[in-house]
């Protein structure tokens, strides 16, 4: 059970944060269809409980790193919707100055250590961030997210081995939404319980219901406690589901409508709202106010993005190296 209390305020914040993630992603999908957003775009709709349950446990000083389905991670970590939407538009006011786009949200200020396009590429980076935190002697942790396809990368096994050997303060989270792009987990492995891969390194590992924000909160809390106490990493397989395709170009014909509807019946946003109503934490007026607030935030983010300028051509030479006068950058 969690040592971090789950209160009325926790539930209200869960609902608000998940609603922001959901509405931001829905608007992103619309704008992509209008060709205002270009390139790759991977939506998080359906998986919101994973980030909401994480944020009710970790501190602002703790970092997160993830793959390319990263919009919700940035929003949950405190990056403004304005900065996120501007990045989607490729504008200079974006969280990565318009240079990253959908797959590469980053914010040093909010310890959002990036979305990463190379499958599994963020896994050793997450361990490296955790190593730095341990080296500096603080109690900060890193939460390193990956998809179910990334656990097939050799770097995954190498990193888990090193993290466990060095007892690094990192929580490895496999957001198992059932499909690596369009390939079912059942077609890539004989062992459907991905969390058991951690047992090969004697790493505490467990499956988590990713459609239940309370379950995510409790599992993350235990893992974070271990990391802060110097007891090392944890591997969580958080079983979730994405309601949209892998990316905006994916018609998702590899799954049945019945399967999709089954998981929509477990929508974490709706179950959290039901819990709030059942416990009388809020009334219809509160829900209406939150809905209006989130709608306004998202609409303003679109206006901000559309009115922001594109990066100047000179920006191509900036942010490549820490040393601003690095001699090997040529005009």
């Amino acid at each position: 059970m969690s040592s971090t209390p789950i209160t009325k305020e926790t539930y209200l914040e869960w609902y608000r944060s998940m609603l922001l993630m959901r509405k931001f992603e829905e608007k992103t999908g619309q704008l992509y269809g209008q060709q205002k957003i270009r390139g790759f775009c991977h939506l998080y709709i359906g998986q919101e409980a994973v980030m909401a349950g994480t944020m009710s446990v970790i501190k602002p000083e703790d970092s997160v790193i993830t793959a390319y389905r990263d919009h919700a991670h940035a929003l949950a970590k405190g990056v403004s919707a304005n900065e996120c939407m501007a990045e989607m538009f490729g504008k200079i006011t974006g969280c990565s100055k318009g240079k990253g786009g959908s797959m590469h949200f980053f914010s040093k200020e909010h310890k959002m250590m990036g979305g990463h396009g190379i499958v599994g590429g963020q896994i050793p980076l997450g361990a490296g961030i955790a190593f730095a935190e341990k080296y500096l002697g603080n109690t900060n942790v890193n939460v390193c997210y990956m998809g179910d396809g990334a656990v097939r990368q050799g770097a995954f096994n190498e990193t888990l081995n090193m993290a466990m050997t060095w007892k690094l303060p990192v929580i490895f989270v496999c957001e198992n939404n059932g499909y690596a792009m369009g390939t079912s987990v059942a077609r890539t492995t004989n062992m459907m319980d991905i969390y058991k891969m951690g047992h090969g390194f004697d790493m505490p590992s467990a499956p988590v219901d990713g459609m239940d924000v309370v379950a995510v909160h409790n599992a993350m809390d235990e893992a974070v406690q271990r990391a802060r106490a110097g007891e090392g990493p944890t591997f969580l397989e958080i079983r979730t589901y994405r309601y949209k395709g892998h990316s905006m170009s994916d018609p998702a014909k590899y799954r049945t409508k019945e399967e999709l509807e089954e998981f929509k019946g477990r929508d974490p946003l709706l179950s959290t709202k039901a819990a709030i109503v059942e416990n009388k934490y809020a009334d219809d007026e509160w829900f209406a106010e939150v809905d209006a607030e989130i709608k306004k935030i998202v609409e303003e983010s679109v206006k901000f993005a559309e009115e922001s300028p594109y990066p100047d051509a000179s920006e191509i030479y900036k942010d490549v190296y820490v040393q601003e006068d690095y001699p090997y950058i040529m005009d």
Side-chain angles (χ1 to χ4, degrees), residues 106-250:
F106 181 89
S107 174
K108 179 180 178 181
E109 175 189 357
H110 295 96
K111 301 295 287 285
M112 167 62 185
M113 309 309 286
H116 296 262
I118 302 299
V119 175
Q122 76 280 11
I123 301 173
L125 297 179
I129 294 166
F131 177 86
E133 299 287 19
K134 183 172 184 177
Y135 185 84
L136 292 171
N138 58 48
T139 60
N140 298 341
V141 305
N142 174 264
V143 187
C144 179
Y145 298 90
M146 68 203 77
D148 45 278
V151 302
R152 310 302 164 202
Q153 290 282 13
F156 169 81
N157 292 283
E158 294 170 354
T159 302
L160 262 63
N161 182 58
M162 294 176 72
M164 195 62 192
T165 300
W166 293 342
K167 298 295 183 288
L168 300 182
V170 55
I171 297 99
F172 298 106
V173 176
C174 173
E175 295 190 73
N176 182 3
N177 59 28
Y179 297 95
M181 294 184 71
T183 304
S184 168
V185 174
R187 295 184 61 193
T188 65
T189 180
N190 185 59
M191 184 178 67
M192 294 291 288
D193 294 324
I194 289 175
Y195 74 93
K196 291 180 180 177
M197 296 179 75
H199 292 167
F201 307 96
D202 282 339
M203 184 180 296
S205 307
V208 183
D209 182 357
M211 307 305 283
D212 181 351
V213 68
V214 175
V216 175
H217 173 99
N218 288 338
M220 287 297 304
D221 187 73
E222 183 178 344
V224 168
Q225 287 182 65
R226 291 191 66 260
R228 294 205 203 285
E231 297 174 8
T234 299
F235 178 45
L236 300 176
E237 178 197 348
I238 302 186
R239 296 168 176 173
T240 182
Y241 199 83
R242 53 173 165 80
Y243 295 158
K244 300 296 183 180
H246 168 70
S247 68
M248 289 299 295
S249 60
D250 174 19

Side-chain angles (χ1 to χ4, degrees), residues 85-107:
M85 191 62 78
E87 189 61 37
M88 301 291 292
F89 276 62
K91 299 299 184 70
I92 188 66
T93 52
C95 56
S96 297
K97 300 183 181 180
K99 302 176 183 182
S102 169
M103 298 196 294
H104 302 288
F105 282 18
F106 181 89
S107 174

